[in-house]
Structures are given as C-alpha cells and as structure tokens.
Amino acid sequence: MSHEDLAEVNRRDFVTAAAVGLGMLAVPCCLQNVCAQTTQPSAPPVPFDVGPKGDFSKDGPDMSFEKSHHVILMRQDNKLYVMSSHCTHRGRDLVVQDDHLHCTWHNSDFKFDGTVIKGPARRGGPLSRFAISIDDAGHVIVDKSQEFLDDKWDDPKSFVDLGPGA
Ligand code: FES
C-alpha cells in the first residue's frame, strides 16, 4: 500500500469517526427534548385572529401567541407587526429580556425590531415577519403563509399602522 493509499484510508477513518461522534452528540440533545421545538410542525399557515386592534395600544412586545403560533406581536411607533418567535440560529423560542429578545439556548440577542444584536444568530439574520391586516370588525389578522425578510419590511402587508389613538 502506497503512502497516498494510507493517507486516503486514514482520512476516511477520520471522517467516519467524526460522523459517528456527531451522531452520538445529537442523541442526548433529542433525549432532553430540546430538539422537539425545531422538529414539531409549525402552526398551519392559515390566517388567525389575534384580537381587536385596541388590545395593542402600547409599544413593546406581546407574547400572547408565542406558545400557540410561535409569533411575537410588536408595536413600535404606532406600527404593529408580527415576527417569528424562533431564533434564527437553531430555532429556539425567544423570550423578552429587558429591552430586547433573548435566546436562552446560545445567548443570541435581538432588538425588538427583529434585528440581531449579538450571538450566533448573526449567521441566520433578522427575524422574519408575517402578513398582518385589520379585518372589517377591527380585529388583527395574522397570515403566516406570507413571510417578509428584512429587505421587505416596508411592504404594506408586513405591518399595520394603528395611529396614535389605537
Ligand atoms: S438557537 Fe438561539 S442562539 Fe442558538
């Protein structure tokens, strides 16, 4: 067997060992039920009612639909928009921490507008937003079938303007 053949065999052994090692690391993660969040099917992409627009009268995050639909309603400067609650790194649901959103998994932080402050979520980028509208009854309707990345956040379907009195 030549030196080149031996080097190729060693390289294959190393790759195989590394793959097995990674597989062993993945098992405890799922056994702890940490991965379940990212593997569960998301809410069906049908529009849903999050309540009367008057329920969103104060600036800041509303986490009322984080558990049921994995979204965060956010009012800023009289605009209401809806963002994914999943961290863009590995999908952990975010929590509110002081004046920002925090991922407890690997410590990424996001501003309330969904842009990344720090952490590995920098690679994943800002949080997605979804279509939002007001129906004839004055209720806020969220449609997760229409997603807006940060270059489309000025799309009129990605926010509703509540005005100062809403
Ligand atoms: S899943 Fe949020 S930082 Fe890794």
Side-chain angles (χ1 to χ4, degrees), residues 87 89-92 103 105-106 108 120:
C87 177
H89 178 224
R90 298 246 175 107
R92 179 81 168 176
C103 179
W105 214 344
H106 310 106
S108 285

Side-chain angles (χ1 to χ4, degrees), residues 14-26:
F14 175 77
V15 170
T16 302
V20 168
L22 287 173
M24 290 171 69
L25 287 175

Side-chain angles (χ1 to χ4, degrees), residues 6 10-11 35 39 41 47 52 57-59 63 73 78 84 100 103 139 147-148 151-152 160:
L6 278 173
N10 287 340
R11 198 168 23 247
C35 299
T39 55
S57 58
K58 291 185 185 148
D59 277 0
M63 306 297 279
L73 277 296
N78 300 327
S84 168
H100 62 277
C103 179
H139 279 227
E147 187 173 356
F148 301 90
D151 62 338
K152 301 286 186 211
V160 290

Side-chain angles (χ1 to χ4, degrees), residues 40-163:
Q40 287 178 346
S42 56
V46 293
F48 55 95
D49 186 334
V50 295
K53 65 180 182 179
D55 285 358
F56 304 95
S57 58
K58 291 185 185 148
D59 277 0
D62 183 318
M63 306 297 279
S64 303
F65 294 86
E66 186 271 314
K67 293 273 184 282
S68 61
H69 292 83
H70 298 287
V71 295
I72 301 168
L73 277 296
M74 186 72 68
R75 177 176 170 140
Q76 283 189 318
D77 301 326
N78 300 327
K79 280 186 178 176
L80 182 66
Y81 48 89
V82 60
M83 307 182 292
S84 168
S85 65
H86 286 156
C87 177
T88 55
H89 178 224
R90 298 246 175 107
R92 179 81 168 176
D93 278 314
L94 301 171
V95 297
V96 175
Q97 189 174 79
D98 303 323
D99 62 349
H100 62 277
L101 300 168
H102 178 68
C103 179
T104 57
W105 214 344
H106 310 106
N107 292 317
S108 285
D109 288 329
F110 296 80
K111 290 182 186 174
F112 278 163
D113 69 359
T115 53
V116 182
I117 299 170
K118 72 172 182 72
R122 279 203 184 100
R123 292 194 294 271
L127 302 173
S128 292
R129 295 184 185 178
F130 302 110
I132 188 168
S133 60
I134 308 285
D135 71 7
D136 292 343
H139 279 227
V140 179
I141 307 299
V142 171
D143 182 359
K144 288 181 73 177
S145 71
Q146 295 181 70
E147 187 173 356
F148 301 90
L149 302 181
D150 59 325
D151 62 338
K152 301 286 186 211
W153 284 356
D154 58 353
D155 187 305
K157 287 184 282 186
S158 71
F159 64 89
V160 290
D161 192 340
L162 296 176

